[in-house]
Amino acid sequence: MAPVLPLLLPLQPRIRLAQGLWLLSWILVLAGGLILLCSGHLLVQLLHLRTFLAPSCPFTVLPQVALAAGAVALSTGLVGAGASRASLDAAQYPPWRRVLGPMLAAGTAGGGGLLVLALGLALALPGSLDTGLEEGLGAAMAHYKDTEVPGHCHAKRLLDELQLRHHCCGRHGYKDWFGVQWVSSRYLDPNDQDVIDFSPRPLSPDTLTPCPSLCSRIQSNVEGLYLIDGVPFSCCNPHSPRPCLQNQLSDPHAHPLFDPRQPNLNLWTQGCHGVLLGHLQGLASTLGSMLAVTFLLQTLVLLGLRYLQTALEGLGGVISGEGETQGYLFPGGLRDMLKTAWLQGGVAHRPAPEEAPPEEDLPEA
């Protein structure tokens, strides 16, 4: 059977192949280490932002698979560097000769499979961030007031830190806070007429029209919603020269010198959904590019090691052996290998023919 993709390798090409593989393997080690750093950074970011992601969001699987793929790529690079260096010395190569074949098979199946899986996840999963952030940020805003409720007591602090760090306000904008009660009921006076019978001020046609729930009368400061046209302090832009205006933002007469059409002079105008979506998708895109480059490097290293291994097998493991040798991927054609395996399997399972009973000698007449 003719070998698959044979390559004639004289002495000098064999030496250059081993030296090039050594350098390429260390580049693969560097790429695997960078994948570990990038995927670890993305995993830490997701751990910090887990409050603002829906629990059903599958995006958190990406850095975990990428960590495993990076570790395998780094290990493959170390193996390739050691094997290519040992191949240049006939005294050091025999231990590698026994284990290089299984290592190549494991690196191809395990490492290649993990890299392909991680690359596919990096391309497919960023689309799930949109829905995951939409649900997670909505739930965080709804629990902003629950500072004394077990399980949600840190929602206010985390959301304030998020808005201050990423320069964002609300889910899609500062007006999102108008539709949720973000003031804790603990700080509302049940005897205050504004709390018992709260209704928004009439708005002019060119300002924001409140939602229907905003126009309903509040019957209870515990079961009802105390909605105001204001935002938390973390929405304020500290670089603004004017004092922060947090309340009555939809009333053009409450602040004569404030133009509601230019809130960027006072508040963060970007929503946290868009900011976080761009940030996480950017990290996923960078990780995906690195996974693609690492997959290419690992493929070249594994192919080079296979050609070097098969070439040295024809010389008894001595790279400086006399004469030319041939490297290949498989010892025989794929069709011939499958045909041989099929025939061997058929012969193994074919029942043996029944032996005919020996004929008895008839007496002579």
Side-chain angles (χ1 to χ4, degrees):
M1 294 183 293
V4 178
L5 296 178
L7 181 63
L8 194 63
L9 292 173
L11 175 60
Q12 289 303 320
R14 289 197 301 268
I15 295 177
R16 286 196 294 268
L17 175 61
Q19 293 172 344
L21 274 177
W22 180 83
L23 179 61
L24 200 62
S25 297
W26 281 113
I27 297 177
L28 179 60
V29 170
L30 178 62
L34 289 177
I35 286 182
L36 291 177
L37 291 177
C38 288
S39 54
H41 175 65
L42 179 57
L43 184 61
V44 171
Q45 291 291 311
L46 290 176
L47 289 176
H48 289 163
L49 298 173
R50 63 182 180 274
T51 306
F52 313 110
L53 275 175
S56 60
C57 183
F59 186 76
T60 54
V61 179
L62 172 60
Q64 301 175 16
V65 177
L67 277 173
V72 174
L74 190 146
S75 302
T76 303
L78 291 176
V79 169
S84 57
R85 181 181 178 85
S87 66
L88 297 172
D89 189 349
Q92 297 180 5
Y93 185 69
W96 287 95
R97 185 178 180 182
R98 294 189 295 268
V99 299
L100 191 55
M103 286 184 176
L104 287 175
T108 303
L114 281 174
L115 280 173
V116 171
L117 177 60
L119 185 57
L121 292 177
L123 296 175
L125 287 185
S128 65
L129 276 174
D130 192 357
T131 305
L133 288 172
E134 189 79 20
E135 298 177 3
L137 285 171
M141 291 177 63
H143 294 297
Y144 184 88
K145 66 181 186 302
D146 300 331
T147 54
E148 296 183 352
V149 178
H152 303 294
C153 54
H154 298 293
K156 178 184 182 301
R157 176 182 60 83
L158 294 175
L159 195 49
D160 284 334
E161 291 177 352
L162 175 73
Q163 294 187 144
L164 290 172
R165 182 183 301 114
H166 293 277
H167 297 174
C168 60
C169 182
R171 186 162 43 180
H172 298 287
Y174 73 97
K175 294 179 182 180
D176 292 337
W177 288 106
F178 298 177
V180 297
Q181 179 182 339
W182 56 271
V183 179
S184 175
S185 299
R186 177 185 178 185
Y187 304 104
L188 297 177
D189 185 3
N191 299 321
D192 191 343
Q193 189 66 24
D194 289 338
V195 176
I196 298 174
D197 188 11
F198 175 79
S199 59
R201 297 172 178 82
L203 305 180
S204 58
D206 58 341
T207 56
L208 172 71
T209 300
C211 59
S213 62
L214 202 64
C215 301
S216 61
R217 298 169 62 88
I218 304 300
Q219 301 297 329
S220 171
N221 67 331
V222 176
E223 298 179 357
L225 295 176
Y226 181 74
L227 303 178
I228 58 175
D229 52 349
V231 296
F233 77 97
S234 54
C235 285
C236 295
N237 184 355
H239 303 291
S240 175
R242 67 181 69 189
C244 183
L245 304 178
Q246 299 176 242
N247 300 317
Q248 303 178 20
L249 297 176
S250 58
D251 187 355
H253 305 291
H255 309 287
L257 300 180
F258 173 72
D259 187 358
R261 293 170 296 181
Q262 295 181 349
N264 58 326
L265 298 178
N266 191 262
L267 303 174
W268 304 121
T269 55
Q270 284 186 309
C272 294
H273 178 275
V275 173
L276 293 181
L277 184 63
H279 175 63
L280 293 177
Q281 285 185 344
L283 291 178
S285 177
T286 302
L287 182 59
S289 301
M290 296 189 62
L291 287 169
V293 173
T294 304
F295 176 76
L296 178 61
L297 288 173
Q298 182 161 317
T299 302
L300 293 176
V301 168
L302 291 175
L303 287 176
L305 284 175
R306 177 58 177 170
Y307 275 106
L308 183 62
Q309 178 205 16
T310 52
L312 293 182
E313 287 297 324
L315 298 173
V318 181
I319 195 172
S320 58
E322 297 180 358
E324 296 181 346
T325 185
Q326 185 174 253
Y328 50 82
L329 291 183
F330 300 104
L334 183 60
R335 181 178 178 181
D336 295 336
M337 292 173 62
L338 294 176
K339 183 178 179 181
T340 302
W342 175 263
L343 292 176
Q344 290 177 351
V347 171
H349 292 86
R350 186 180 301 168
E354 296 182 0
E355 296 182 358
E359 296 181 358
E360 298 181 358
D361 296 335
L362 297 177
E364 296 181 358

